[in-house]
Amino acid sequence: MTLAKGYAAQSAVSNLAPWNFERREVKPQDVQFDILYCGVCHSDLHQVKNEWGNSMFPMVPGHEIVGKVTNVGSAVKKFKVGDLAAIGCLVDSCRTCANCKEGLEQYCTKGSSPTYNGLEQDHKTPTYGGYSNSIVAHEDFVLHISEKLNLAAVAPLLCAGITTYSPLRYWQVGKSHKLAVVGLGGLGHMAVKFGVAFGAEVTVLSTSSSKEADARKLGAHKFVVTKDAESLKAVTGYFDFILDTVSAEHDLNLYLSLLRTGGTHICVGVPTTPAAVHAFSLIGGRRSLAGSLIGGLPETQEMLDFCAAHNIVSEIEIIDIKDIHKAYERMLKGDVRYRFVIDMATL
Ligand code: NAP
Ligand code: ZN
Ligand code: ZN
């Protein structure tokens, strides 16, 4: 065992605070690395506050993890000491089910091991995430990142990046499509970058009129303030795809009305309460309501390589770990431009 330092929530009502815990001994196929930066995902906030009802405490959040390898097991082939390395939302899975064999570990039918707020594959040992100084995982769940990119700005690719890249690739969103991105936060701003890179016409649907200039800088072609009924009317029946990254309750029926006949609304945001969808919102235009969860390991590596080739990173604000609660408060107000990243040197 090695001693690790982190920030943990001890319960759904306690603030995050310094906490020491143990990381496992490096096994032959394990990679250990020092965490240099960790992105702050809205899922961290949902889970710290037990908003999805499945939280396990103590909880060390964080699943957008980048750093430098300090130790490798005797059988490790992919990494050597000193390499840059990253971990996203998963640290293991059963590896034997049909989905795992296809590289869709996020849909492991036996239950994958999330990077935090979950259990290792022994179904006993809790996992602890990236608000900490080091991590150990099987090399198959550790990713390569390019030396060329700003390391801190790469961190959010590990969740916000792959969660938006994966559905856009699955539904083959590209040149002939009109894509709406709902919510310009961590996930939303990455969705804009990927949508533009894949050749789609991208519209941001936002509650914050103050984000228009940023949206255009990110490459968005149009910007609609969803509180403005007139602007919404102009895009009724307009979109082929809607990628919905909203973290709070919102009216899906309203957004479904913006899809053309046969269009697809893809949920990636996970509000605390279930949505009420009227069947008429779907049947009128033979519309589909779909969802997508993060991404598997091969696709996450593909996304990181795509980002390196196209010079794509996240727009970030680096924070001191002591300011994590201020960051959460701003996140709740939709005031994230566009991902907080913890500088782990401040731990
Ligand atoms: P975030 O940075 O806080 O962004 C969410 C954005 O949603 C806000 O910036 C805001 O954008 C918009 N929004 C907030 N409240 C709203 C409301 N009441 N009505 C309409 N829009 C609202 O959060 P994030 O880190 O991108 O995460 C977004 C959601 O995705 C969270 O629920 C998270 O848990 C989930 N998530 C899912 C997956 C997955 O695998 N499916 C992976 C990661 C995260 P505007 O100011 O532009 O309106
Ligand atoms: Zn996340
Ligand atoms: Zn599996």
Side-chain angles (χ1 to χ4, degrees), residues 104-161:
L104 297 170
E105 296 88 351
Q106 75 274 37
Y107 304 122
C108 174
T109 54
K110 300 204 177 125
S112 54
S113 297
T115 302
Y116 70 89
N117 193 29
L119 299 174
E120 298 280 2
Q121 287 297 299
D122 63 5
H123 302 290
K124 284 197 297 252
T125 311
T127 57
Y128 298 119
Y131 295 11
S132 60
N133 63 344
S134 77
I135 190 160
V136 180
H138 190 289
E139 66 170 330
D140 290 350
F141 286 76
V142 183
L143 296 138
H144 285 288
I145 47 184
S146 167
E147 302 264 353
K148 283 193 316 197
L149 300 174
N150 172 351
L151 188 60
V154 165
L157 301 179
L158 277 303
C159 175

Side-chain angles (χ1 to χ4, degrees), residues 153-323:
V154 165
L157 301 179
L158 277 303
C159 175
I162 185 60
T163 301
T164 50
Y165 181 93
S166 183
L168 295 178
R169 282 303 200 209
Y170 178 77
W171 275 278
Q172 300 181 345
V173 176
K175 285 196 171 52
S176 56
H177 296 128
K178 295 184 170 75
L179 167 70
V181 174
V182 192
L184 196 63
L187 268 57
H189 91 289
M190 290 311 307
V192 172
K193 291 194 180 203
F194 288 133
V196 169
F198 300 162
E201 182 199 282
V202 179
T203 302
V204 171
L205 303 180
S206 174
T207 58
S208 314
S209 53
S210 62
K211 292 181 182 172
E212 175 161 6
D214 288 344
R216 294 200 186 270
K217 251 190 257 159
L218 292 166
H221 305 93
K222 295 180 190 219
F223 185 89
V224 173
V225 180
T226 48
K227 288 172 188 156
D228 176 4
E230 278 308 303
S231 314
L232 269 184
K233 227 186 257 169
V235 286
T236 297
Y238 185 75
F239 299 108
D240 299 284
F241 294 97
I242 295 177
L243 191 62
D244 179 346
T245 75
V246 175
S247 51
E249 205 174 327
H250 57 296
D251 182 10
L252 287 189
N253 302 290
L254 172 71
Y255 295 101
L256 286 165
S257 72
L258 309 182
L259 285 174
R260 68 159 176 78
T261 305
T264 303
H265 181 118
I266 307 158
C267 296
V268 288
V270 190
T272 310
T273 48
V277 178
H278 204 294
F280 277 125
S281 302
L282 298 169
I283 64 176
R286 202 202 279 145
R287 296 174 177 122
S288 302
L289 181 59
S292 183
L293 177 69
I294 51 174
L297 270 295
E299 194 174 43
T300 305
Q301 189 62 62
E302 176 193 305
M303 178 272 311
L304 290 167
D305 297 345
F306 180 88
C307 288
H310 294 84
N311 216 12
I312 293 176
V313 287
S314 175
E315 304 303 311
I316 59 165
E317 183 174 334
I318 294 188
I319 61 163
D320 187 310
I321 195 157
K322 286 169 211 71
D323 293 326

Side-chain angles (χ1 to χ4, degrees), residues 94-95 97 100 108-109:
C94 87
R95 297 149 184 264
C97 76
C100 282
C108 174
T109 54

Side-chain angles (χ1 to χ4, degrees), residues 41 43-44 63-64 89 159-160 339:
C41 179
S43 301
D44 301 349
H63 56 204
E64 295 183 336
C89 303
C159 175
R339 196 59 142 185

